Amino acid sequence: MARIAGVNIPTGKRVLVALTYIHGIGQHRAQEICTKLSIPPERRVNQLSDEEVLRIREVIDRDYQVEGDLRREVAMNIKRLMDLGCYRGLRHRKGLPVRGQRTHTNARTRKGPAKAIAGKKMVTK
């Protein structure tokens, strides 16, 4: 099993798909890395030589910000917004959608499961 940027890469998958398991590398960047190192995209991870895995690891470490560093930077950006007290920071603090979505309905991902309100149910006759 290949280990790149602190992540175990699945061995049975194609290199393009396996690289997307690393936080910060999507399909476009995986394609970029493969073309830069001239690795055919249909090649499987278990077919890579140790030298190719080492080259992939070096390119990712040198050219891209991934995993822990990227997560830390995103967390620091959110913390900065919250400390400033700007609108986006307040929305993060309250656990509400940040990018202008409606909250009357939907928004369950940010707000969590619905909470029942006592006395809300209307009795029908």
Side-chain angles (χ1 to χ4, degrees), residues 87-88 91 96-105 107 110:
Y87 182 77
R88 283 173 56 202
R91 302 296 282 184
L96 293 169
V98 177
R99 297 184 178 181
Q101 298 92 333
R102 66 181 288 140
T103 57
H104 180 70
T105 59
R110 285 293 301 205

Side-chain angles (χ1 to χ4, degrees), residues 41-68:
E42 64 276 353
R43 176 98 56 89
R44 306 261 171 193
V45 174
N46 55 12
Q47 297 170 340
L48 291 175
S49 67
D50 291 337
E51 183 212 321
E52 287 174 322
V53 173
L54 185 66
R55 284 186 11 227
I56 291 172
R57 193 177 297 133
E58 287 171 353
V59 165
I60 290 174
D61 288 343
R62 185 182 64 231
D63 297 341
Y64 302 101
Q65 188 174 22
V66 293
E67 281 302 323

Side-chain angles (χ1 to χ4, degrees), residues 72-83:
R72 194 175 309 106
E73 183 179 328
V74 170
M76 290 303 294
N77 289 341
I78 292 171
K79 187 177 181 314
R80 177 180 51 81
L81 290 172
M82 288 165 58
D83 292 343

